[in-house]
């Protein structure tokens, strides 16, 4: 399995700062996804809004729109449906 070193980049053209930014952004995304998951399972709109970084009304609108849709193939995969 390849690994990154100072002389061998795993992402050609990316520097250390680019990779660090990507990692930090992915952590924020994971936190938001966890908040969405938790709220969809019965959490409050306020908690969802906080985890998404949006207003309560926006969180409520987005959750309601999501709940009205049929589960996507990835959602079915994630839930084992």
């Amino acid at each position: 399995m390849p690994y990154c070193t100072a002389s061998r980049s795993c992402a050609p053209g990316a520097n250390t700062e680019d990779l660090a930014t990507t990692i930090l952004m992915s952590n924020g995304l994971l936190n938001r996804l966890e908040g969405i998951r938790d709220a969809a399972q019965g959490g409050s709109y306020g908690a969802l809004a906080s985890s998404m970084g949006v207003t309560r009304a926006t969180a409520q609108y987005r959750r309601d729109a999501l709940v009205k849709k049929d589960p996507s193939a990835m959602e079915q995969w994630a839930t084992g449906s």
Side-chain angles (χ1 to χ4, degrees), residues 35-49 56 63:
I36 292 167
R37 179 203 61 211
D38 294 345
Q41 295 175 358
S44 71
Y45 288 122
L48 176 60
R56 185 188 176 284
R63 181 190 178 277

Side-chain angles (χ1 to χ4, degrees), residues 17-40:
E17 186 176 324
D18 294 334
L19 296 173
T21 299
T22 301
I23 291 168
L24 290 173
M25 290 176 65
S26 67
N27 285 336
L29 177 60
L30 290 174
N31 289 339
R32 289 179 180 199
L33 290 172
E34 287 174 3
I36 292 167
R37 179 203 61 211
D38 294 345

Side-chain angles (χ1 to χ4, degrees), residues 33 36-37 40-41 66 71-81:
L33 290 172
I36 292 167
R37 179 203 61 211
Q41 295 175 358
L66 181 65
S72 67
M74 289 308 297
E75 184 178 354
Q76 290 175 346
W77 170 83
T79 59
S81 301

Side-chain angles (χ1 to χ4, degrees), residues 45-46 49 54-64:
Y45 288 122
V54 299
T55 66
R56 185 188 176 284
T58 299
Q60 181 175 354
Y61 173 80
R62 290 181 182 173
R63 181 190 178 277
D64 291 349

